[in-house]
Amino acid sequence: MAWETFEQAGARPWARRAQQELRAAGESGQAPPVAVLGALTPQELRIAGLVAEGLSSKQIAAQLFLSPRTVEYHLYKIYPKVGVGSRTELARLVVLQKAPVPADAMM
């Protein structure tokens, strides 16, 4: 993200501005912590994965043989564990955590 680049370059005012813009756009403005999904139970991890695939709570409930309310309860418990506040942020986090690291990023 841009704010990370500014931080690495020592341009703290620009980094703060980039973080403010990210927050205004609904992003957290912080990089996801490494392996944050490891804090989830197996059921929570399944639900988070299905959210990342774009399924609704009703669809997730049908697939996992749960009630939609139970799915919502799990989401309520997942959000603070991984530091997100919405389904969109959760889906983004899951996708980023499961994405392979490009070869050129390791150099």
Side-chain angles (χ1 to χ4, degrees), residues 12-32:
R12 300 219 191 302
W14 287 97
R16 280 193 301 275
R17 176 64 188 258
Q19 285 181 318
Q20 290 169 351
E21 292 297 328
L22 283 169
R23 280 194 294 277
E27 296 290 330
S28 67
Q30 297 181 9

Side-chain angles (χ1 to χ4, degrees), residues 45-105:
L45 195 53
R46 280 191 288 275
I47 290 171
L50 293 171
V51 165
E53 291 178 18
L55 275 65
S56 68
S57 293
K58 189 174 180 180
Q59 292 168 324
I60 294 169
Q63 189 165 335
L64 298 179
F65 303 102
L66 302 170
S67 74
R69 186 171 173 115
T70 301
V71 171
E72 290 297 326
Y73 172 78
H74 281 295
L75 289 172
Y76 172 78
K77 300 302 265 181
I78 291 169
Y79 293 160
K81 282 185 179 182
V82 297
V84 299
S86 69
R87 292 176 81 96
T88 305
E89 287 181 78
L90 177 60
R92 179 178 178 269
L93 177 69
V94 170
V95 169
L96 289 175
Q97 292 277 314
K98 292 188 175 184
V101 177
D104 62 340

